[in-house]
Structure formats: C-alpha cells, structure tokens
Coordinates of all heavy atoms in Angstrom, one line a residue:
M1 N -39.8 -29.6 3.1 CA -39.0 -28.7 4.0 C -37.4 -28.9 3.6 O -37.0 -30.0 3.3 CB -39.2 -29.2 5.4 CG -38.7 -27.9 6.3 SD -39.1 -28.1 8.1 CE -41.0 -27.6 8.0
K2 N -36.8 -27.7 3.5 CA -35.4 -27.8 2.9 C -34.5 -27.6 4.2 O -34.9 -27.1 5.2 CB -35.1 -26.8 2.0 CG -35.8 -27.0 0.6 CD -35.7 -25.8 -0.3 CE -34.4 -25.6 -0.8 NZ -34.3 -24.6 -1.8
F3 N -33.2 -27.9 4.0 CA -32.3 -27.4 5.0 C -31.3 -26.3 4.5 O -31.1 -26.3 3.3 CB -31.5 -28.5 5.8 CG -30.3 -29.0 5.2 CD1 -29.1 -28.3 5.2 CD2 -30.2 -30.2 4.4 CE1 -28.0 -28.7 4.6 CE2 -29.2 -30.6 3.7 CZ -28.0 -30.0 4.0
Y4 N -30.9 -25.4 5.5 CA -30.1 -24.3 4.9 C -28.9 -24.3 5.9 O -29.0 -24.7 7.1 CB -30.9 -23.0 5.0 CG -32.1 -22.8 4.2 CD1 -33.3 -23.4 4.5 CD2 -31.9 -22.2 2.9 CE1 -34.3 -23.3 3.7 CE2 -33.1 -22.1 2.1 CZ -34.2 -22.6 2.5 OH -35.3 -22.5 1.6
F5 N -27.8 -23.7 5.5 CA -26.7 -23.4 6.4 C -26.6 -21.9 6.5 O -26.6 -21.2 5.5 CB -25.3 -23.8 5.9 CG -25.0 -25.2 6.1 CD1 -25.1 -26.2 5.0 CD2 -24.6 -25.8 7.4 CE1 -24.9 -27.5 5.3 CE2 -24.3 -27.1 7.5 CZ -24.5 -28.0 6.6
I6 N -26.5 -21.3 7.8 CA -26.2 -19.9 7.9 C -24.8 -19.8 8.6 O -24.6 -20.4 9.6 CB -27.3 -19.2 8.7 CG1 -28.7 -19.2 8.2 CG2 -26.9 -17.6 9.0 CD1 -29.8 -18.8 8.9
T7 N -23.9 -19.3 8.0 CA -22.6 -19.3 8.5 C -22.2 -18.0 9.3 O -22.8 -16.9 9.0 CB -21.4 -19.5 7.4 OG1 -21.5 -18.3 6.4 CG2 -21.7 -20.7 6.6
F8 N -21.2 -18.1 10.2 CA -20.8 -17.1 11.1 C -19.3 -17.0 11.3 O -18.7 -18.1 10.9 CB -21.4 -17.3 12.5 CG -23.0 -17.3 12.5 CD1 -23.7 -18.5 12.3 CD2 -23.7 -16.2 12.8 CE1 -25.1 -18.6 12.3 CE2 -25.0 -16.3 12.7 CZ -25.7 -17.4 12.6
R9 N -18.8 -15.9 11.5 CA -17.3 -15.8 11.5 C -16.6 -16.3 12.9 O -15.5 -16.6 13.0 CB -16.8 -14.4 11.4 CG -17.1 -13.5 12.5 CD -16.6 -12.1 12.2 NE -16.6 -11.4 13.5 CZ -16.3 -10.2 13.6 NH1 -15.9 -9.5 12.7 NH2 -16.4 -9.6 14.9
S10 N -17.6 -16.5 14.0 CA -17.1 -17.1 15.2 C -18.1 -17.9 15.8 O -19.3 -17.9 15.5 CB -16.7 -15.9 16.1 OG -17.9 -15.2 16.7
V11 N -17.6 -18.7 16.8 CA -18.5 -19.5 17.5 C -19.6 -18.8 18.4 O -20.7 -19.2 18.5 CB -17.9 -20.7 18.3 CG1 -17.0 -20.1 19.5 CG2 -18.8 -21.7 18.9
T12 N -19.0 -17.5 18.9 CA -19.9 -16.9 19.8 C -21.2 -16.2 19.0 O -22.2 -16.4 19.5 CB -19.0 -15.6 20.3 OG1 -17.9 -16.2 21.1 CG2 -19.8 -14.7 21.3
F13 N -20.9 -15.8 17.7 CA -21.9 -15.4 16.9 C -22.9 -16.4 16.6 O -24.1 -16.3 16.5 CB -21.5 -14.7 15.7 CG -20.8 -13.3 15.9 CD1 -19.7 -12.9 15.2 CD2 -21.3 -12.4 16.9 CE1 -19.0 -11.7 15.4 CE2 -20.6 -11.3 17.3 CZ -19.6 -10.8 16.5
A14 N -22.3 -17.6 16.3 CA -23.2 -18.8 16.0 C -24.1 -19.2 17.1 O -25.3 -19.5 17.0 CB -22.4 -20.0 15.5
Q15 N -23.5 -19.3 18.4 CA -24.3 -19.5 19.5 C -25.3 -18.4 19.8 O -26.5 -18.9 20.2 CB -23.3 -19.6 20.7 CG -22.4 -20.9 20.7 CD -21.3 -20.8 21.8 OE1 -20.8 -19.7 22.2 NE2 -20.8 -21.9 22.2
R16 N -25.0 -17.2 19.6 CA -26.2 -16.3 19.8 C -27.3 -16.5 18.7 O -28.4 -16.3 19.1 CB -25.5 -14.7 19.5 CG -24.7 -14.3 20.8 CD -24.2 -13.0 20.7 NE -25.0 -12.0 20.1 CZ -24.5 -10.9 19.5 NH1 -23.2 -10.6 19.5 NH2 -25.3 -10.0 19.0
G17 N -26.8 -16.7 17.5 CA -27.8 -17.0 16.5 C -28.7 -18.3 16.8 O -29.9 -18.2 16.7
E18 N -28.1 -19.2 17.3 CA -28.9 -20.5 17.7 C -29.8 -20.2 18.8 O -31.0 -20.6 18.7 CB -27.9 -21.5 18.2 CG -28.4 -22.8 18.6 CD -27.5 -23.8 19.2 OE1 -26.5 -23.4 19.9 OE2 -27.7 -25.0 19.0
K19 N -29.4 -19.4 19.7 CA -30.3 -19.0 20.9 C -31.5 -18.1 20.3 O -32.6 -18.4 20.7 CB -29.6 -18.2 21.9 CG -30.4 -17.8 23.1 CD -29.6 -17.1 24.2 CE -30.4 -16.7 25.3 NZ -29.7 -16.1 26.4
V20 N -31.2 -17.2 19.4 CA -32.2 -16.4 18.8 C -33.3 -17.2 18.0 O -34.4 -17.1 18.1 CB -31.5 -15.2 18.1 CG1 -32.7 -14.5 17.1 CG2 -31.0 -14.2 18.9
L21 N -32.6 -18.0 17.2 CA -33.6 -18.8 16.2 C -34.4 -19.9 17.0 O -35.6 -20.0 16.7 CB -32.7 -19.5 15.2 CG -32.2 -18.6 14.2 CD1 -31.3 -19.3 13.1 CD2 -33.1 -17.7 13.4
N22 N -33.9 -20.5 17.9 CA -34.5 -21.5 18.7 C -35.7 -20.8 19.4 O -36.7 -21.3 19.7 CB -33.7 -22.3 19.7 CG -32.9 -23.3 18.9 OD1 -33.3 -23.8 17.8 ND2 -31.8 -23.8 19.4
G23 N -35.3 -19.6 20.0 CA -36.4 -18.8 20.8 C -37.4 -18.3 19.8 O -38.6 -18.2 20.3
G24 N -37.2 -18.1 18.6 CA -38.1 -17.7 17.7 C -38.9 -18.8 16.9 O -39.7 -18.6 16.1
G25 N -38.7 -20.0 17.4 CA -39.5 -21.1 16.8 C -38.8 -21.9 15.7 O -39.5 -22.8 15.1
F26 N -37.6 -21.6 15.3 CA -36.8 -22.2 14.2 C -36.1 -23.3 14.9 O -35.5 -23.4 15.9 CB -36.0 -21.3 13.6 CG -36.7 -20.3 12.8 CD1 -36.9 -19.0 13.4 CD2 -37.2 -20.4 11.6 CE1 -37.6 -18.0 12.6 CE2 -37.8 -19.5 10.8 CZ -38.0 -18.2 11.3
R27 N -36.0 -24.5 14.1 CA -35.3 -25.6 14.5 C -33.9 -25.6 13.8 O -33.8 -25.6 12.7 CB -36.0 -26.9 14.1 CG -35.3 -28.1 14.4 CD -36.2 -29.4 13.9 NE -35.4 -30.5 14.0 CZ -35.5 -31.4 13.1 NH1 -36.4 -31.5 12.2 NH2 -34.7 -32.5 13.0
C28 N -32.8 -25.4 14.7 CA -31.5 -25.4 14.1 C -30.5 -26.1 15.1 O -30.8 -26.3 16.2 CB -31.1 -24.0 13.8 SG -31.0 -23.0 15.3
T29 N -29.3 -26.4 14.4 CA -28.3 -27.0 15.2 C -27.0 -26.3 14.9 O -26.7 -26.0 13.8 CB -28.1 -28.4 15.0 OG1 -27.9 -28.8 13.6 CG2 -29.3 -29.2 15.3
L30 N -26.1 -26.1 15.8 CA -24.7 -25.5 15.6 C -23.8 -26.6 15.2 O -23.8 -27.6 15.9 CB -24.4 -24.9 17.0 CG -23.0 -24.3 17.0 CD1 -22.9 -23.1 16.0 CD2 -22.7 -23.8 18.5
Q31 N -23.0 -26.2 14.3 CA -21.9 -27.2 13.8 C -20.7 -26.5 13.3 O -20.8 -25.4 12.8 CB -22.5 -28.2 12.8 CG -23.1 -27.6 11.7 CD -23.7 -28.8 10.8 OE1 -24.6 -29.4 11.2 NE2 -23.1 -28.9 9.6
R32 N -19.6 -27.2 13.1 CA -18.5 -26.7 12.4 C -19.0 -26.7 10.9 O -19.7 -27.6 10.4 CB -17.3 -27.5 12.5 CG -16.7 -27.6 14.0 CD -15.8 -26.3 14.2 NE -14.8 -26.1 13.2 CZ -13.9 -25.2 13.3 NH1 -13.9 -24.3 14.1 NH2 -13.0 -25.1 12.3
T33 N -18.5 -25.8 10.1 CA -18.7 -25.7 8.7 C -18.0 -26.9 8.0 O -16.9 -27.2 8.4 CB -18.6 -24.4 8.1 OG1 -17.1 -24.0 8.3 CG2 -19.5 -23.4 8.6
P34 N -18.5 -27.3 6.9 CA -17.7 -28.2 6.0 C -16.4 -27.4 5.6 O -16.3 -26.2 5.5 CB -18.6 -28.5 4.8 CG -19.9 -28.2 5.3 CD -19.8 -27.2 6.4
R35 N -15.3 -28.3 5.3 CA -14.0 -27.7 5.1 C -14.1 -26.5 3.9 O -13.4 -25.6 4.0 CB -13.0 -28.7 4.7 CG -11.6 -28.1 4.4 CD -10.5 -29.1 4.7 NE -10.4 -29.8 5.9 CZ -10.0 -29.2 7.1 NH1 -9.6 -28.1 7.1 NH2 -10.0 -30.0 8.1
W36 N -14.8 -26.9 2.9 CA -14.8 -25.9 1.8 C -15.4 -24.6 2.1 O -15.2 -23.5 1.6 CB -15.5 -26.5 0.5 CG -17.0 -26.7 0.7 CD1 -17.6 -27.8 1.1 CD2 -18.0 -25.8 0.4 NE1 -18.9 -27.7 1.2 CE2 -19.2 -26.4 0.7 CE3 -18.0 -24.5 -0.1 CZ2 -20.5 -25.9 0.7 CZ3 -19.3 -23.8 -0.1 CH2 -20.5 -24.5 0.1
M37 N -16.3 -24.6 3.1 CA -16.8 -23.3 3.7 C -15.8 -22.6 4.5 O -15.7 -21.4 4.5 CB -18.1 -23.5 4.4 CG -19.3 -23.6 3.6 SD -20.7 -23.9 4.7 CE -21.9 -24.6 3.7
E38 N -15.0 -23.4 5.3 CA -13.9 -22.7 6.1 C -12.9 -21.9 5.3 O -12.5 -20.9 5.6 CB -13.3 -23.8 6.9 CG -14.1 -24.4 8.1 CD -13.2 -25.4 8.9 OE1 -12.0 -25.6 8.6 OE2 -13.8 -26.1 9.8
E39 N -12.7 -22.5 4.0 CA -11.8 -21.8 3.2 C -12.5 -20.3 2.9 O -11.8 -19.4 2.4 CB -11.6 -22.5 1.8 CG -10.9 -23.8 2.2 CD -10.8 -24.7 1.0 OE1 -11.4 -24.4 -0.1 OE2 -10.2 -25.8 1.2
Q40 N -13.7 -20.1 2.9 CA -14.4 -18.8 2.7 C -14.4 -17.9 3.9 O -14.9 -16.9 4.0 CB -15.9 -19.1 2.4 CG -16.1 -19.9 1.2 CD -15.7 -19.5 -0.2 OE1 -15.9 -18.3 -0.4 NE2 -15.2 -20.4 -1.0
G41 N -13.8 -18.5 5.0 CA -13.6 -17.7 6.3 C -14.7 -17.9 7.2 O -14.9 -17.0 8.2
C42 N -15.5 -19.0 7.0 CA -16.6 -19.2 7.9 C -16.5 -20.6 8.7 O -16.4 -21.7 8.1 CB -18.0 -19.4 7.1 SG -18.3 -18.0 6.0
G43 N -16.2 -20.4 9.9 CA -15.8 -21.7 10.7 C -16.9 -22.3 11.3 O -16.9 -23.5 11.7
Y44 N -18.1 -21.6 11.6 CA -19.2 -22.2 12.3 C -20.5 -21.8 11.7 O -20.6 -20.9 10.9 CB -19.4 -21.6 13.8 CG -18.2 -22.1 14.6 CD1 -17.0 -21.4 14.6 CD2 -18.3 -23.4 15.2 CE1 -16.0 -21.8 15.4 CE2 -17.2 -23.8 16.1 CZ -16.0 -23.1 15.9 OH -14.9 -23.5 16.7
A45 N -21.5 -22.8 11.7 CA -22.8 -22.6 10.9 C -24.0 -23.1 11.8 O -23.8 -24.0 12.6 CB -22.7 -23.4 9.6
L46 N -25.1 -22.7 11.4 CA -26.3 -23.1 12.0 C -26.9 -24.0 10.8 O -27.1 -23.4 9.8 CB -27.1 -22.2 12.4 CG -26.7 -21.2 13.7 CD1 -27.7 -20.2 14.1 CD2 -26.5 -22.4 14.9
R47 N -27.3 -25.1 11.1 CA -28.0 -25.9 10.0 C -29.5 -25.7 10.4 O -29.9 -26.1 11.6 CB -27.6 -27.4 10.1 CG -28.2 -28.2 9.0 CD -27.8 -29.7 9.0 NE -28.4 -30.3 7.8 CZ -28.1 -31.6 7.6 NH1 -27.1 -32.2 8.2 NH2 -28.7 -32.0 6.5
L48 N -30.4 -25.3 9.5 CA -31.7 -24.9 9.8 C -32.7 -25.6 8.9 O -32.4 -25.7 7.7 CB -31.7 -23.4 9.5 CG -33.1 -22.6 9.6 CD1 -33.5 -22.6 11.1 CD2 -32.9 -21.1 9.1
W49 N -33.7 -26.2 9.5 CA -34.8 -26.8 8.7 C -36.0 -25.9 8.7 O -36.6 -25.7 9.6 CB -35.1 -28.1 9.3 CG -34.1 -29.1 9.3 CD1 -33.9 -30.2 8.3 CD2 -32.9 -29.3 10.2 NE1 -32.9 -30.8 8.6 CE2 -32.2 -30.3 9.7 CE3 -32.6 -28.6 11.3 CZ2 -31.2 -30.8 10.3 CZ3 -31.4 -29.1 12.0 CH2 -30.7 -30.2 11.4
T50 N -36.4 -25.5 7.5 CA -37.6 -24.6 7.3 C -38.0 -24.6 5.8 O -37.2 -25.0 5.0 CB -37.2 -23.1 7.8 OG1 -38.3 -22.5 7.8 CG2 -36.2 -22.4 7.0
K51 N -39.1 -24.1 5.6 CA -39.7 -23.9 4.3 C -39.1 -22.7 3.6 O -38.8 -22.7 2.5 CB -41.2 -23.7 4.2 CG -41.9 -25.0 4.7 CD -43.3 -24.8 4.7 CE -44.1 -25.9 5.1 NZ -45.5 -25.9 5.2
D52 N -38.8 -21.5 4.4 CA -38.3 -20.4 3.9 C -37.4 -19.8 4.9 O -37.6 -19.6 6.1 CB -39.5 -19.4 3.7 CG -39.0 -18.0 3.1 OD1 -37.9 -17.8 2.6 OD2 -39.8 -17.1 3.0
V53 N -36.1 -19.5 4.4 CA -35.0 -19.0 5.3 C -35.1 -17.5 5.6 O -34.6 -17.0 6.5 CB -33.6 -19.5 4.8 CG1 -33.3 -18.6 3.6 CG2 -32.6 -19.4 5.8
T54 N -35.8 -16.8 4.7 CA -35.8 -15.3 4.8 C -36.3 -14.8 6.3 O -35.7 -13.9 6.9 CB -36.6 -14.7 3.8 OG1 -36.2 -15.1 2.5 CG2 -36.7 -13.1 3.8
P55 N -37.4 -15.4 6.8 CA -37.8 -15.0 8.2 C -36.7 -15.2 9.2 O -36.5 -14.4 10.2 CB -39.0 -15.6 8.5 CG -39.5 -16.2 7.2 CD -38.4 -16.3 6.4
A56 N -35.9 -16.3 9.1 CA -34.9 -16.7 10.1 C -33.8 -15.6 9.9 O -33.2 -15.0 11.0 CB -34.3 -18.0 9.9
V57 N -33.4 -15.2 8.7 CA -32.3 -14.2 8.5 C -32.7 -12.9 9.1 O -32.0 -12.1 9.7 CB -32.0 -14.3 7.0 CG1 -31.0 -13.0 6.8 CG2 -31.2 -15.5 6.6
E58 N -33.9 -12.6 8.9 CA -34.5 -11.3 9.4 C -34.5 -11.2 10.8 O -34.2 -10.2 11.4 CB -36.0 -11.0 8.8 CG -36.0 -10.7 7.4 CD -37.3 -10.6 6.8 OE1 -38.5 -11.0 7.5 OE2 -37.6 -10.3 5.5
L59 N -34.7 -12.3 11.5 CA -35.0 -12.4 13.0 C -33.4 -12.3 13.4 O -33.1 -11.4 14.4 CB -35.3 -13.7 13.5 CG -35.6 -14.0 15.0 CD1 -36.4 -12.8 15.5 CD2 -35.9 -15.4 15.2
L60 N -32.5 -12.9 12.9 CA -31.1 -12.6 13.2 C -30.6 -11.2 13.1 O -29.9 -10.7 13.9 CB -30.1 -13.5 12.4 CG -30.2 -15.0 12.6 CD1 -29.4 -15.8 11.7 CD2 -29.8 -15.4 14.0
R61 N -31.0 -10.7 11.9 CA -30.6 -9.1 11.8 C -31.2 -8.2 12.8 O -30.7 -7.3 13.2 CB -30.9 -8.8 10.3 CG -29.9 -9.4 9.4 CD -30.2 -9.1 8.0 NE -29.2 -9.6 7.0 CZ -29.4 -10.1 5.9 NH1 -30.7 -9.9 5.3 NH2 -28.4 -10.6 5.1
E62 N -32.6 -8.5 13.1 CA -33.3 -7.7 14.0 C -32.6 -7.8 15.4 O -32.7 -6.8 16.1 CB -34.8 -8.2 14.2 CG -35.7 -7.8 13.1 CD -36.9 -8.5 13.1 OE1 -37.4 -9.2 14.1 OE2 -37.7 -8.5 12.1
N63 N -32.0 -8.9 15.7 CA -31.4 -9.1 17.0 C -29.8 -8.8 16.9 O -29.2 -9.1 17.8 CB -31.7 -10.5 17.6 CG -33.0 -10.6 18.0 OD1 -33.3 -10.5 19.2 ND2 -34.0 -11.1 17.2
Q64 N -29.5 -8.2 15.8 CA -28.1 -7.8 15.7 C -27.1 -8.9 15.8 O -26.0 -8.7 16.4 CB -27.8 -6.6 16.6 CG -28.6 -5.4 16.3 CD -28.5 -4.3 17.3 OE1 -27.8 -4.5 18.3 NE2 -29.0 -3.2 17.0
V65 N -27.5 -10.0 15.2 CA -26.5 -11.1 15.2 C -25.8 -11.2 13.8 O -26.5 -11.4 12.8 CB -27.3 -12.5 15.4 CG1 -26.2 -13.7 15.5 CG2 -28.0 -12.5 16.8
P66 N -24.5 -10.8 13.8 CA -23.9 -10.8 12.4 C -23.7 -12.1 11.7 O -23.1 -13.0 12.4 CB -22.6 -10.1 12.7 CG -22.3 -10.2 14.1 CD -23.6 -10.4 14.8
L67 N -24.1 -12.3 10.6 CA -23.9 -13.6 9.9 C -23.1 -13.4 8.7 O -22.9 -12.1 8.2 CB -25.2 -14.2 9.5 CG -26.2 -13.3 8.6 CD1 -26.2 -13.7 7.2 CD2 -27.7 -13.5 9.1
R68 N -22.6 -14.4 8.1 CA -21.6 -14.3 6.9 C -22.5 -14.6 5.6 O -22.8 -13.7 4.9 CB -20.6 -15.3 7.0 CG -19.5 -14.9 8.1 CD -18.5 -13.9 7.2 NE -17.5 -13.4 8.2 CZ -16.2 -13.6 7.9 NH1 -15.7 -14.2 6.9 NH2 -15.4 -13.0 8.9
K69 N -22.8 -15.8 5.5 CA -23.4 -16.3 4.2 C -24.7 -17.4 4.6 O -24.7 -17.8 5.6 CB -22.5 -17.0 3.2 CG -21.4 -16.0 2.8 CD -20.4 -16.6 1.9 CE -19.4 -15.7 1.4 NZ -18.5 -16.2 0.4
V70 N -25.5 -17.5 3.5 CA -26.7 -18.4 3.7 C -26.5 -19.3 2.6 O -26.4 -18.9 1.3 CB -27.9 -17.6 3.7 CG1 -29.1 -18.6 3.7 CG2 -28.1 -16.6 4.9
Y71 N -26.6 -20.6 2.7 CA -26.6 -21.6 1.7 C -27.8 -22.4 1.8 O -28.4 -22.7 2.8 CB -25.5 -22.6 1.9 CG -24.1 -21.8 1.7 CD1 -23.5 -21.3 2.9 CD2 -23.5 -21.8 0.4 CE1 -22.2 -20.8 2.7 CE2 -22.2 -21.1 0.4 CZ -21.6 -20.6 1.4 OH -20.4 -19.9 1.4
A72 N -28.4 -22.9 0.6 CA -29.5 -23.8 0.6 C -29.0 -25.0 -0.1 O -28.4 -25.1 -1.1 CB -30.7 -23.2 -0.3
Q73 N -29.7 -26.1 0.2 CA -29.5 -27.4 -0.4 C -30.3 -27.6 -1.7 O -31.5 -27.4 -1.6 CB -29.9 -28.7 0.6 CG -29.6 -29.9 -0.1 CD -30.0 -31.1 0.8 OE1 -31.0 -30.9 1.6 NE2 -29.4 -32.3 0.7
R74 N -29.6 -27.8 -2.8 CA -30.3 -28.0 -3.9 C -30.8 -29.4 -4.2 O -30.6 -30.2 -3.3 CB -29.4 -27.8 -5.1 CG -28.8 -26.4 -5.3 CD -28.0 -26.0 -6.6 NE -27.3 -27.2 -6.9 CZ -26.0 -27.1 -7.4 NH1 -25.3 -25.8 -7.5 NH2 -25.2 -28.0 -7.7
G75 N -31.6 -29.7 -5.2 CA -32.2 -30.9 -5.4 C -31.1 -32.0 -5.5 O -31.5 -33.2 -5.1
D76 N -30.0 -31.8 -6.0 CA -28.9 -32.7 -6.2 C -28.0 -32.9 -5.0 O -27.2 -33.7 -5.1 CB -28.0 -32.4 -7.4 CG -27.3 -31.1 -7.2 OD1 -27.4 -30.3 -6.1 OD2 -26.6 -30.6 -8.2
G77 N -28.4 -32.2 -3.8 CA -27.7 -32.5 -2.6 C -26.6 -31.4 -2.5 O -26.0 -31.3 -1.4
Q78 N -26.3 -30.7 -3.5 CA -25.2 -29.7 -3.4 C -25.6 -28.5 -2.7 O -27.0 -28.3 -2.7 CB -24.7 -29.3 -4.8 CG -24.0 -30.4 -5.5 CD -22.6 -30.9 -4.7 OE1 -21.8 -30.1 -4.3 NE2 -22.6 -32.3 -4.6
L79 N -24.8 -27.5 -2.2 CA -25.3 -26.4 -1.5 C -25.0 -25.2 -2.4 O -24.1 -25.1 -3.3 CB -24.5 -26.1 -0.2 CG -24.7 -27.1 0.9 CD1 -23.9 -27.0 2.1 CD2 -26.2 -27.2 1.3
E80 N -26.0 -24.3 -2.5 CA -25.9 -23.1 -3.2 C -26.0 -21.8 -2.5 O -26.9 -21.7 -1.6 CB -27.2 -23.2 -4.2 CG -27.3 -21.9 -5.0 CD -28.6 -22.0 -5.9 OE1 -29.4 -23.0 -5.7 OE2 -28.8 -21.2 -6.8
E81 N -25.1 -20.8 -2.7 CA -25.2 -19.6 -1.9 C -26.3 -18.9 -2.4 O -26.6 -18.6 -3.4 CB -23.9 -18.9 -2.1 CG -23.9 -17.6 -1.2 CD -22.5 -16.8 -1.4 OE1 -21.5 -17.5 -1.8 OE2 -22.5 -15.7 -0.8
L82 N -27.1 -18.3 -1.4 CA -28.2 -17.4 -1.5 C -28.0 -16.0 -1.2 O -27.1 -15.7 -0.3 CB -29.3 -17.9 -0.7 CG -29.9 -19.3 -0.8 CD1 -30.9 -19.5 0.2 CD2 -30.4 -19.5 -2.2
T83 N -28.7 -15.1 -1.9 CA -28.6 -13.7 -1.5 C -30.0 -13.4 -0.8 O -31.0 -13.4 -1.3 CB -28.6 -12.8 -2.6 OG1 -27.4 -13.0 -3.4 CG2 -28.6 -11.3 -2.3
V84 N -29.9 -13.2 0.5 CA -31.1 -12.9 1.3 C -30.9 -11.5 2.0 O -30.0 -11.2 2.5 CB -31.2 -14.0 2.5 CG1 -32.5 -13.8 3.2 CG2 -31.2 -15.4 1.8

C-alpha cells in the first residue's frame, strides 16, 4: 500500500474532502502541506493510504470537492505529481 497527498487550496475544501473520503471507506488524514507544496499554492492536503488513488479522486469529483494536485510517494521516498 502506498501513500498519496491530495492538495486543496483551502482548509474548507480539505475538510470536505476528508469527510467524503472517510465516508467512502478511504483512510486519510488532514494536514498542512510541506513547505515546498505551499509554494505551489496548496496550503492543505489529505494524506491517503490506498493501493490506487484514482477511485478516491473520482469520489471527490463526484461530490464536487475541488482539489488541486495529487502526489504519490516514490520508492525513494520522494513525492511525484500524478495526472489523475
């Protein structure tokens, strides 16, 4: 299982996303984004543990929760931006 970051432009959107994902059976936690992500304009993120992030992103979109970017942890521990 991998972890992913889904970033949001506001804490309100991140909180809505957390509620939707937890209600949909996904395990996630709300947190401030690492400083390098804040420079991208993303202040809050959900850290999500799952095998595949695509269903989580689809659930957020179905529930009209606007997200910014999605990152996956690579094997070397670095984060890589995904197109989902």
Side-chain angles (χ1 to χ4, degrees):
M1 200 169 281
K2 294 171 69 173
F3 85 81
Y4 299 87
F5 279 104
I6 301 175
T7 62
F8 301 85
R9 71 173 194 191
S10 73
V11 68
T12 303
F13 291 143
Q15 288 170 332
R16 283 178 42 201
E18 180 183 34
K19 184 176 180 181
V20 166
L21 291 180
N22 284 333
F26 292 95
R27 181 178 161 216
C28 65
T29 57
L30 175 65
Q31 63 184 61
R32 293 281 303 178
T33 57
R35 182 155 309 278
W36 67 270
M37 282 186 193
E38 285 182 6
E39 294 169 2
Q40 308 287 325
C42 305
Y44 294 88
L46 294 176
R47 186 174 181 179
L48 175 70
W49 292 265
T50 186
K51 291 179 183 178
D52 182 14
V53 73
T54 304
V57 170
E58 289 173 356
L59 182 61
L60 291 171
R61 289 184 176 142
E62 287 170 8
N63 285 273
Q64 300 175 345
V65 180
L67 57 100
R68 287 270 175 131
K69 297 182 179 184
V70 179
Y71 297 89
Q73 182 183 25
R74 296 189 318 218
D76 63 3
Q78 297 295 316
L79 296 177
E80 172 183 10
E81 185 176 347
L82 302 177
T83 302
V84 181

